[in-house]
């Protein structure tokens, strides 16, 4: 039975602005989703008929699939709707499992198709989440081709160049607020701000500059500057209207124990990411105030098909 698995991710810098073609840096984490698939007389998912499945991502993948009915099982370890790339991990692993019934799947092709699925379901997306889940490790998205270029994804006049990025050893803690948000709604909220005011566009440009400075700080291993930039990126995301009380309630009590902290992903709930060398202490504080908290390790593999 073909089995594929793919990791979740967090965005270190650049969420939302990357939808407008600005750069971003994301890191795949050691929380995975696994999909097993086998031929069947009708489409089934965890024993249920596909008509009972509410996930738009799954419906969209099944709609596109031309290879006959399959029975699939999903084991998801990425918390859902929490800014940690659960939909990308699901989309990439399911496409990996589906493609293994056809020709050997190139990672690049899976990443492209996964992006199209997210774009359709979310009504707009960048390839950050899906390419990070496919490649694993740290991923840098930019307008220009640079060192360790992997592939380019274009859509509606925008071009995102996807690169692998080597980063120093760092300790990150994720705090999950437990408040769920829809990426589609948050992307739409930012779109309204950017369309209506020059201020919105300036904020997006400013986030782009922070990503570039963040990349330089990563290259130097300058954790202090990285933390400051994470805090600045968070302030700018708040100005775009994607932070909320649940997020601020997690950030406040850890401020003096971390290099930096910010919301990660679409916002409006979801998760907070903190860079710290007091990981266990920060994890405990976040867990007391949120739903759950993890000390996350970097996933180096991305999509694995067995
Ligand atoms: C969601 O994890 C990241 C966003 O920038 C959307 C995207 O890039 O597709 C909000």
């Amino acid at each position: 039975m073909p089995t594929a698995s793919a990791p979740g991710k967090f965005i270190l810098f650049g969420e939302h602005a990357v939808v407008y073609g600005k750069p971003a840096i994301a890191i795949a984490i050691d929380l995975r989703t696994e999909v097993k698939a086998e031929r069947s007389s009708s489409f089934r998912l965890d024993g249920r008929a596909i008509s009972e499945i509410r996930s738009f991502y799954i419906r969209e993948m099944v709609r596109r699939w031309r290879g006959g009915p399959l029975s699939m099982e999903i084991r998801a370890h990425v918390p859902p709707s929490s800014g940690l790339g659960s939909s990308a991990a699901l989309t990439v692993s399911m496409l990996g499992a589906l493609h293994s019934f056809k020709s050997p799947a190139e990672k690049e092709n899976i990443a492209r198709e996964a992006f199209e699925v997210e774009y359709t379901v979310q009504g707009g997306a960048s390839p950050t989440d899906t390419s990070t889940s496919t490649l694993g490790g740290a991923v840098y998205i930019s307008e220009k081709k640079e060192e360790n270029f992997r592939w380019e994804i274009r859509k509606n006049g925008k071009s995102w160049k996807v690169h692998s990025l080597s980063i120093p050893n760092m300790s990150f803690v994720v705090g999950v607020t437990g408040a769920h948000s829809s990426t589609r709604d948050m992307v739409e909220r930012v779109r309204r701000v950017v369309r209506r005011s020059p201020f919105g566009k300036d904020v997006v440009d400013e986030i782009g500059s922070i990503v570039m400075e963040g990349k330089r700080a990563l290259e130097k291993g300058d954790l202090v500057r990285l933390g400051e930039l994470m805090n600045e990126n968070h302030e700018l995301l708040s100005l775009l209207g994607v932070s909320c009380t649940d997020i601020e309630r997690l950030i406040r009590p850890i401020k003096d124990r971390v290099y930096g902290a910010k919301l990660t992903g679409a916002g409006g709930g979801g998760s907070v990411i903190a860079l710290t060398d007091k990981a266990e202490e920060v994890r405990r504080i976040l867990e007391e105030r949120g739903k759950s908290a993890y000390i996350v390790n970097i996933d180096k593999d991305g999509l694995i098909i067995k």
Side-chain angles (χ1 to χ4, degrees):
M1 188 189 288
T3 303
S5 72
K9 63 82 197 68
F10 66 82
I11 297 184
L12 183 58
F13 295 114
E15 51 272 269
H16 285 292
V18 69
V19 174
Y20 299 87
K22 299 292 165 194
I25 295 172
I27 298 178
I29 55 176
D30 55 349
L31 297 171
R32 292 191 149 253
T33 292
E34 183 185 86
V35 177
K36 290 184 180 172
E38 64 182 343
R39 296 238 175 252
S40 169
S41 53
S42 63
F43 249 117
R44 301 198 77 74
L45 202 98
D46 291 332
R48 287 151 66 206
I50 221 73
S51 55
E52 294 173 43
I53 304 301
R54 285 173 45 217
S55 161
F56 291 114
Y57 296 94
I58 295 175
R59 282 169 172 259
E60 178 61 17
M61 281 183 276
V62 170
R63 189 185 70 74
R64 289 162 170 263
W65 172 244
R66 297 282 172 268
L70 299 169
S71 171
M72 292 184 279
E73 283 171 27
I74 301 177
R75 297 284 163 271
H77 299 289
V78 188
S81 309
S82 293
L84 298 176
S86 59
S87 54
L90 171 68
T91 308
V92 170
S93 56
M94 190 170 280
L95 289 175
L98 293 175
H99 274 263
S100 58
F101 287 94
K102 296 185 188 166
S103 50
E106 290 284 329
K107 281 197 170 184
E108 179 175 341
N109 294 341
I110 303 268
R112 283 182 192 287
E113 196 173 338
F115 163 71
E116 289 295 335
V117 170
E118 282 215 330
Y119 195 96
T120 306
V121 173
Q122 290 170 197
S126 79
T128 313
D129 294 14
T130 39
S131 282
T132 305
S133 182
T134 310
L135 274 172
V139 165
Y140 166 56
I141 310 281
S142 70
E143 287 167 279
K144 289 195 315 258
K145 262 192 205 175
E146 295 179 34
E147 208 185 326
N148 296 321
F149 168 77
R150 305 301 289 261
W151 52 69
E152 176 183 16
I153 293 188
R154 292 167 183 254
K155 187 90 183 170
N156 291 343
K158 289 195 190 67
S159 155
W160 294 273
K161 275 93 174 171
V162 178
H163 307 77
S164 291
L165 187 69
S166 55
I167 57 170
N169 259 340
M170 289 175 286
S171 190
F172 289 102
V173 186
V174 168
V176 182
T177 62
H180 298 302
S181 71
S182 134
T183 302
R184 185 184 176 96
D185 293 348
M186 300 317 288
V187 167
E188 181 51 33
R189 179 180 294 193
V190 172
R191 186 178 294 130
R192 281 199 298 269
V193 177
V194 172
R195 275 214 191 118
R196 281 188 194 157
S197 68
F199 159 79
K201 269 188 97 269
D202 289 349
V203 173
V204 162
D205 288 346
E206 191 54 32
I207 292 177
S209 310
I210 284 186
V211 179
M212 298 313 293
E213 220 190 308
K215 181 165 178 279
R216 287 192 288 276
L218 277 171
E219 279 155 6
K220 286 190 204 147
D222 185 345
L223 303 192
V224 172
R225 186 65 192 133
L226 269 175
E228 287 168 359
L229 291 164
M230 286 171 73
N231 295 340
E232 284 175 33
N233 194 161
H234 179 75
E235 291 310 318
L236 292 166
L237 287 165
S238 303
L239 292 176
L240 289 178
V242 296
S243 188
C244 63
T245 355
D246 294 288
I247 291 172
E248 300 304 326
R249 277 189 54 235
L250 285 192
I251 293 184
R252 221 171 297 128
I254 57 169
K255 274 246 155 182
D256 57 349
R257 292 172 178 85
V258 300
Y259 291 105
K262 63 182 274 294
L263 73 84
T264 186
S271 300
V272 158
I273 179 81
L275 173 62
T276 179
D277 44 22
K278 300 186 180 77
E280 196 44 61
E281 193 185 340
V282 169
R283 190 193 66 75
R284 258 199 321 276
I285 299 171
L286 288 172
E287 197 163 55
E288 277 160 17
R289 288 163 176 82
K291 185 162 182 282
S292 47
Y294 311 86
I295 298 171
V296 286
N297 297 305
I298 299 178
D299 168 278
K300 295 213 166 59
D301 299 315
L303 171 65
I304 298 174
I305 303 174
K306 287 187 202 140

